[in-house]
Amino acid sequence: MNTAELSKYAPQAREDFMAAVRLQAGRVGVREDGCSPVERQGEAVVIDGVTHPKAIENARQNLVQRVESIGFDAAMDAAAYTWFNRLCAIRYMELHGFLDHGYRVLSHPDGGSLPEILEKATDIDLPGLDKSRVAELKLDGTQDEKLYRLLLMAQCNALHHSMPFLFEKVGAGDELLLPEGLLHSDSLILGLVEGISEESWQDIEIIGWLYQFYISEKKDEVIGKVVKSEDIPAATQLFTPNWIVKYMVQNSLGAQWLATYPNSPLKEQMEYYIEPAEQTDEVNAQLAAITPSQLNPEELTLIDPASGSGHILVEAYELFKAIYLERGYRQRDVPQLILTQNLFGLDIDERAAQLTGFALMMKGRADDRRLFERGVKLNVMALVDSAGFDAEALAKGVELSDYGLKPGDLTELKRLFEHATTFGSLIQVPEGLAEKLPALKQLSEATSQDLFVSEALKRLGPLVQQAELLAAQYDAVVMNPPYMGKRGMPALAKNFTGDYYPEAKSDLFACFIERGSMLAKDLGDNAMVTMQSWMFLSSYQKLRERLLSRNTIRTMAHLGARAFGSISGEVVQTTMFVIKNWRSDDYKPTFFRLLSGGEAEKRRALVNGQSRLDMTTQGKFGAIPGSPLAYWVTDRIRGAFVEGVPFAAVGFPKVGMQTANNDKYLRFWQEVDFGEFADDSMPPKWIKYLKGGSFRRWYGNLAHLLRYNRDPSYVTQQKNATMLSEGVLREPKCTWTDLTSGLFNARYAPSDTFHDISGH
């Protein structure tokens, strides 16, 4: 796939689609500064002096309501992306022959200037298409624009049946924002057709890359700042390379299958499956006791709680398909089973959820040509906020006791999802509310003639569905969670993570590590790729200790930087791993230390089993204070922590001086008049000051003087400056560099020497 052409096309397409839908909204009187009134004149409506068919009135009203609800900019952004998604979806389907009529909608197979569907207009049979109107426009010969618009909208409406999450019914409002001039030489459609080669559309992975590049400029705008809730998707989206996805899926779902069926031919198909380390007889007995003797493919479940564009679920589809076929299922029966029984996905971004659903439907359609006719309902959705849900109106309009419910059940559901599009899958459904979900689902399927009750029931359905997904547990949880440090979080997210994930609140990815284990069943797997910081930093110590006390690391590939390739522009230090909801201190996890090289080198090293380390049992991580996941450390070093004498028993390590402004207080010796330094007055004006510096054992690096000015308050008045008592500072001591990648080296500091934080 030519990602270079995608990275060039998609950002510009975003600008073009945004400009086009804004222009189109203005044509029906919907603008950033307000909405024009509508004047009815018989079978027409007049807006800003322009006459339109009366049929647009309902669609325009829907558009106005959306603008009033979420704001003009957000509404235009959503509409632009929705039309971008739809046209990309149609482009993919026409090139793969997935459209029932068999003709291309956006292009011509012979390279003609007009779409094939326009040429074959009178042969097209689509639901709701007025064939007499088609014939009339075709016969006229001058109405190609009108005819093509009619055909394109009919095609979108026909796809609503199989993919309602992406193609809404005609009249929903988005149809008004389909730009004009679709057959012009500078149209959005021609830009899509010519901007991306047909070869790039062969793999469904293109959908994820387009999503990544489409929002890339938006990501650049918000990254590094305190992010607004609505910008979290753009700030945290990162397309996961296929080899990393395969590693996670194959070593969670795939490993579970092979544990029960060790002779399965699937092992030969799973390039990134990691053969477990040789275990003791005792551990093998433990594993045998927890491994089921047989598995029913229809009962296995996998969720991606931050599914993005669906890359992980698409890969899981392939593995599930192989499992079903191995068990003798007919291929045409497999897609519907996978899509309705096995795969689950959630995201806070509606646009991403659209792409996830589309990608899965395309995988299924490739295996079952009649899939679109089967009414498949995916278990994939974008979380929705509950602000528009009127719990009070529903409680008054329905006899809740008939369903075994109370008004408090509705208000609790509303409160739980008040900020669902900010907190996402981190939301935990209380046990009491989870027990009420079957009744709430039954209620959501009720009908009412009361307008307000009917609207409340309509909004109740998605809330119940997402509560069900979040309350359930799964055999495998696989995800690339969002990365966002506490400093960048909006206040809502910062407070929420502090309340519900106090041991992981420093970053969203760490919160999702904890949440992933909650979503996994007992003996289930939590597979993720995250930043590596949780393995070592003291801020994650309690999280590590909790995981090590309750779970077992099955495998981990420590990737370091550049694992996502240069195309992403990301340099975060990462690690990917699989953690099982089962504990055995004697289990030997399999680690790979892949810190050097780029993406290609890391991938090859993993496949070839290079830098594999599997001689450490999990229980040994606690030997080092703080329980860092120092998987490469030898037993001899660990023994030193257990049997050796800690430095605190023989010395008193302390942080020394911190000026908080070295430019103001420090000078090299040659910069200070010797007379000022040699003055015998006490306290002195200048003091020897020992910083860190390069490797120097025993003595040295005395290059600086500190302006003491005869009064310690001269330094401590500086904001954030620290100083121990003068008596302690004047005692003989050893000092060392605080941070180094080389060997440890300590130096003697004379009694008349101060030292900074790097000297202890």
Side-chain angles (χ1 to χ4, degrees):
M1 184 184 304
N2 187 352
T3 54
E5 69 175 358
L6 303 184
S7 67
K8 179 181 179 181
Y9 166 74
Q12 184 60 49
R14 178 175 180 266
E15 294 184 15
D16 294 342
F17 273 79
M18 286 282 289
V21 298
R22 284 171 175 264
L23 180 63
Q24 197 65 16
R27 286 174 172 153
V28 292
V30 179
R31 301 179 183 86
E32 189 170 7
D33 57 358
C35 299
S36 303
V38 176
E39 180 185 350
R40 297 178 181 84
Q41 293 184 357
E43 293 302 311
V45 293
V46 179
I47 305 171
D48 294 333
V50 178
T51 302
H52 301 270
K54 186 178 180 181
I56 77 162
E57 190 172 9
N58 287 337
R60 184 190 185 270
Q61 182 59 31
N62 289 336
L63 177 60
V64 170
Q65 290 175 351
R66 184 160 197 187
V67 168
E68 292 174 346
S69 174
I70 66 175
F72 180 81
D73 287 342
M76 294 303 103
D77 183 51
Y81 196 87
T82 293
W83 276 112
F84 176 78
N85 277 357
R86 288 174 179 172
L87 295 180
C88 287
I90 291 173
R91 180 62 170 158
Y92 183 91
M93 285 187 282
E94 74 174 11
L95 292 178
H96 286 260
F98 289 170
L99 298 173
D100 289 342
H101 49 67
Y103 302 120
R104 291 195 182 188
V105 175
L106 307 182
S107 64
H108 198 288
D110 298 329
S113 60
L114 296 177
E116 185 181 20
I117 196 174
L118 189 61
E119 177 185 300
K120 305 290 186 181
T122 55
D123 299 328
I124 300 297
D125 186 14
L126 291 169
L129 181 63
D130 186 344
K131 301 194 73 171
S132 62
R133 177 62 173 161
V134 169
E136 177 187 340
L137 293 173
K138 183 71 173 175
L139 185 62
D140 183 287
T142 65
Q143 301 293 320
D144 280 356
E145 279 285 349
K146 284 186 178 181
L147 176 57
Y148 183 61
R149 191 179 187 88
L150 182 68
L151 293 169
L152 182 57
M153 288 307 305
Q155 180 64 75
C156 291
N157 206 36
L159 291 169
H160 168 75
H161 173 72
S162 55
M163 288 177 279
F165 50 84
L166 181 55
F167 295 93
E168 293 185 72
K169 285 183 178 179
V170 170
D174 287 331
E175 63 179 288
L176 292 181
L177 301 185
L178 176 64
E180 301 285 346
L182 295 176
L183 297 179
H184 291 182
S185 60
D186 61 349
S187 73
L188 297 176
I189 288 177
L190 193 62
L192 173 64
V193 171
E194 295 185 347
I196 305 174
S197 63
E198 293 192 11
E199 292 76 15
S200 291
W201 292 98
Q202 296 310 303
D203 194 322
I204 193 62
E205 190 176 321
I206 189 177
I207 298 301
W209 282 116
L210 283 172
Y211 178 57
Q212 170 91 3
F213 292 127
Y214 185 93
I215 65 172
S216 59
E217 291 186 355
K218 179 67 172 178
K219 181 171 185 173
D220 292 340
E221 292 173 10
V222 302
I223 201 72
K225 305 174 184 177
V226 176
V227 177
K228 298 178 182 178
S229 294
E230 61 267 26
D231 292 332
I232 290 177
T236 58
Q237 165 64 18
L238 181 62
F239 187 69
T240 318
N242 190 250
W243 68 282
I244 293 179
V245 174
K246 286 179 180 289
Y247 169 91
M248 294 189 292
V249 171
Q250 292 173 8
N251 289 288
S252 54
L253 173 64
Q256 290 181 26
W257 187 259
L258 291 181
T260 295
Y261 304 106
N263 297 320
S264 168
L266 284 186
K267 182 183 293 188
E268 300 303 318
Q269 303 175 34
M270 295 195 296
E271 183 181 11
Y272 297 95
Y273 170 71
I274 304 303
E275 194 71 47
E278 186 176 345
Q279 309 292 336
T280 64
D281 291 342
E282 181 181 357
V283 171
N284 284 328
Q286 295 172 1
L287 291 169
I290 65 170
T291 302
S293 59
Q294 58 183 4
L295 293 172
N296 182 351
E298 297 181 35
E299 296 176 355
L300 291 173
T301 55
L302 182 148
I303 188 172
D304 182 348
S307 59
S309 54
H311 193 183
I312 289 172
L313 294 179
V314 164
E315 185 59 40
Y317 175 95
E318 290 293 337
L319 185 52
F320 269 117
K321 182 173 78 169
I323 287 173
Y324 274 110
L325 295 179
E326 178 183 311
R327 304 310 291 174
Y329 284 74
R330 295 184 304 178
Q331 179 163 314
R332 67 185 183 190
D333 297 331
V334 168
Q336 186 170 1
L337 287 170
I338 296 175
L339 299 179
T340 60
Q341 304 282 98
N342 303 123
L343 294 180
F344 301 79
L346 287 166
D347 202 275
I348 60 173
D349 186 355
E350 181 181 9
R351 299 166 297 186
Q354 290 174 352
L355 292 180
T356 297
F358 173 72
L360 289 176
M361 289 297 291
M362 293 305 98
K363 295 299 292 186
R365 172 60 179 79
D367 294 325
D368 177 11
R369 61 184 304 273
R370 301 189 64 182
L371 182 71
F372 292 173
E373 305 170 17
R374 302 190 190 281
V376 172
K377 185 177 181 181
L378 301 176
N379 298 304
V380 174
M381 69 177 297
L383 288 132
V384 296
D385 293 334
S386 59
F389 171 55
D390 193 338
E392 185 176 346
L394 185 56
K396 290 179 179 179
V398 175
E399 192 62 53
L400 294 180
S401 59
D402 291 347
Y403 299 90
L405 296 170
K406 299 178 180 178
D409 298 324
L410 299 179
T411 55
E412 184 179 10
L413 184 69
K414 181 179 175 68
R415 179 201 58 78
L416 183 68
F417 292 122
E418 185 178 2
H419 303 292
T421 55
T422 299
F423 306 150
S425 297
L426 292 177
I427 295 173
Q428 302 170 34
V429 181
E431 185 177 347
L433 182 60
E435 293 173 353
K436 298 288 187 178
L437 289 178
L440 286 167
K441 183 176 183 179
Q442 185 181 3
L443 173 61
S444 70
E445 295 169 349
T447 58
S448 173
Q449 298 300 315
D450 184 288
L451 180 63
F452 295 103
V453 174
S454 177
E455 179 64 20
L457 289 171
K458 178 182 176 181
R459 293 182 179 271
L460 176 62
L463 299 180
V464 173
Q465 183 184 2
Q466 64 194 31
E468 289 177 321
L469 292 175
L470 291 170
Q473 289 186 304
Y474 305 85
D475 293 292
V477 179
V478 186
M479 68 185 304
N480 179 3
Y483 308 163
M484 180 178 288
K486 186 164 57 175
R487 291 183 181 180
M489 294 181 196
L492 277 173
K494 191 180 299 183
N495 294 334
F496 177 83
T497 54
D499 290 340
Y500 291 94
Y501 299 91
E503 297 173 0
K505 63 183 179 182
S506 296
D507 200 289
L508 285 182
F509 82 80
C511 298
F512 272 100
I513 293 177
E514 190 172 336
R515 181 66 175 122
S517 292
M518 297 178 193
L519 286 167
K521 296 178 180 178
D522 290 341
L523 308 180
D525 289 324
N526 179 20
M528 294 191 180
V529 55
T530 70
M531 294 174 68
Q532 68 178 26
S533 51
W534 74 274
M535 300 168 61
F536 312 113
L537 295 188
S538 59
S539 54
Y540 299 113
Q541 178 179 339
K542 290 184 178 179
L543 172 64
R544 283 193 301 275
E545 291 174 345
R546 174 194 287 261
L547 287 173
L548 293 173
S549 68
R550 299 182 178 183
N551 311 95
T552 297
I553 300 172
R554 291 192 58 258
T555 176
M556 175 181 286
H558 187 188
L559 302 175
R562 301 179 300 280
F564 281 69
S566 60
I567 191 68
S568 69
E570 301 293 333
V571 293
V572 293
Q573 305 272 349
T574 57
T575 183
M576 57 183 180
F577 53 88
V578 180
I579 298 176
K580 180 171 281 295
N581 275 0
W582 165 76
R583 182 193 176 193
S584 172
D585 283 345
D586 297 322
Y587 186 87
K588 295 177 183 175
T590 302
F591 293 92
F592 291 86
R593 191 167 175 82
L594 307 175
L595 303 183
S596 61
E599 179 186 6
E601 291 85 355
K602 295 175 192 293
R603 180 181 58 79
R604 284 195 296 267
L606 181 65
V607 171
N608 295 330
Q610 298 171 6
S611 301
R612 174 174 171 141
L613 300 167
D614 58 12
M615 297 307 295
T616 299
T617 59
Q618 177 165 303
K620 293 181 179 180
F621 287 125
I624 300 177
S627 301
L629 298 184
Y631 56 88
W632 64 89
V633 171
T634 65
D635 286 343
R636 181 182 177 186
I637 294 177
R638 288 193 186 88
F641 284 95
V642 175
E643 301 170 6
V645 178
F647 186 77
V650 295
F652 304 95
K654 296 179 183 298
V655 174
M657 178 74 180
Q658 296 180 92
T659 71
N661 190 342
N662 285 347
D663 290 341
K664 177 180 179 180
Y665 293 104
L666 298 188
R667 296 292 182 271
F668 290 111
W669 283 64
Q670 62 268 28
E671 296 179 281
V672 177
D673 185 275
F674 183 74
E676 291 188 15
F677 175 71
D679 185 358
D680 291 334
S681 301
M682 296 299 289
K685 190 172 183 179
W686 293 89
I687 296 291
K688 297 174 186 176
Y689 191 79
L690 184 60
K691 286 176 63 62
S694 59
F695 181 90
R696 189 74 179 267
R697 189 169 279 165
W698 316 130
Y699 192 84
N701 290 349
L702 276 167
H704 293 86
L705 294 175
L706 167 72
R707 185 177 179 84
Y708 194 57
N709 221 32
R710 309 189 190 285
D711 185 355
S713 66
Y714 176 71
V715 180
T716 56
Q717 68 180 348
Q718 176 73 31
K719 184 179 180 181
N720 296 325
T722 61
M723 180 185 288
L724 298 175
S725 68
E726 187 174 340
V728 173
L729 287 170
R730 289 188 176 278
E731 293 176 355
K733 61 192 74 69
C734 288
T735 184
W736 61 86
T737 302
D738 189 37
L739 295 175
T740 178
S741 59
L743 297 173
F744 174 78
N745 60 106
R747 297 173 294 280
Y748 172 69
S751 60
D752 61 347
T753 305
F754 283 8
H755 57 101
D756 72 351
I757 188 173
S758 63
H760 292 63

